[in-house]
Amino acid sequence: MGKAILLVCDGLGDRPFAERGGKTPLQVAKKPNWDVLAKEGINGQMDVISPGIVPGSDTAHLALLGYDPFQCYPGRGTFEALGAGIELKEGDIAFRGNFATVAEDGSMRILDRRAGRFGSKALADALNIEINGVEVIVKHTVEHRCAVVFRGEGLSRFVSDVDPHEEGLPPRKCIPTRSEKNAERTARIVNEFVRRSHEILSRHPENEERRRKGVPVANILLLRGAGAHESVEPFQKRFGFKACCIAGASLYKGVAKFLGIPTIDVEGATGNANTNLKAKAESAIEALKTHDFVFIHVKATDNFGHDGDFDGKVRMIERIDAEMISLFREIDAYVVVTADHSTPVSLRRHSADPVPVVICGDGVRTDTVKKFDEFAAASGGLGRLRGRDLIPILSDLMGFYKMFGT
Ligand code: ZN
Ligand code: ZN
């Protein structure tokens, strides 16, 4: 049976950028190793969810790993909680949490949605409280981010975000998004929690210290992306091979955990631009000794897209080529490289533009594509496929196929 590495570069796809001669970052970047993969492999364009649907990173990863996100998406908070190492129980409701700064003049206007990218374990621990018999579990992950779980009777995931996704406004009231008793009760508890978070954090010693230093205080916790505990058929059961995940950011570890895929921690894998790509690639090659399939995630390409930083995205692509793909050229395994969606520099957000994908390895029908980019991929042998088709195609190449009929 064959083995495989799937490298997903977040938000890698792009649109022609007028200020760079109508080229995309993939077209401008010098990436000799990546282009050899394209030349030796089979290429195509992929609608990760389906044509015209703008993917979130969470739903996109479910699709890339062979699951239908329309059937089994539990809500973002679920992945954040699983990725933070919280064991979810039946009935739990999970959120993504952001420490933020609100004005201390009584207006509650949000001054900084990320509290200067500050958060800490001590602040998170102070928010592990109980409200009307519901236990609230808050776990700090990185910078201003937390996972938040509400545990108790009669809760529902059908409630709105508290985070208004905009500064200058006060936090939004959490409201039920379905008219049901449990959603109403959950919204009331969430609102009470946010109020208490402001009360507790405002007088926390770490914030007193920050006030003295004149840096933004993390004086409220904003919640979004309610998710429930749900279970799906584990990856190995569904596809027949043993997988592992290498990722820095908790969302991706959480998606993996949800599918029963363990994460291998790599020192220096941060989920930021300063991440240690070489260490991730080396760990992946090492992990192939004990696993059939390694999914590796690189986040920073998406961040540069959101920042509108064309040159940053180009540099990141060049680093991925030099520090990761160069190492994958010599290994005896299928190598698949793609993205979870496009994050065009010109838009600074995700778009529905399909992403390029290449599969390189034994027995693939090499096509005429010579370079890895959005335009070259369009003439590849894979044609245009959906994200959910990728793992079945790979399973067949690896020899873990299931025949339909006899
Ligand atoms: Zn993404
Ligand atoms: Zn993004």
Side-chain angles (χ1 to χ4, degrees), residues 10-11 56-57 61 252 297 299 302 340-341 350:
D10 209 292
S57 288
H61 276 79
Y252 308 94
H297 180 262
K299 179 71 189 161
D302 180 55
D340 59 341
H341 50 79
H350 300 183

Side-chain angles (χ1 to χ4, degrees), residues 244-248 262-264 266 269 280 283-285 287 294-298:
C244 68
C245 159
I246 294 176
T263 294
I264 294 177
V266 176
K280 280 168 105 168
S283 300
I285 293 169
V294 186
F295 151 58
I296 321 175
H297 180 262
V298 174

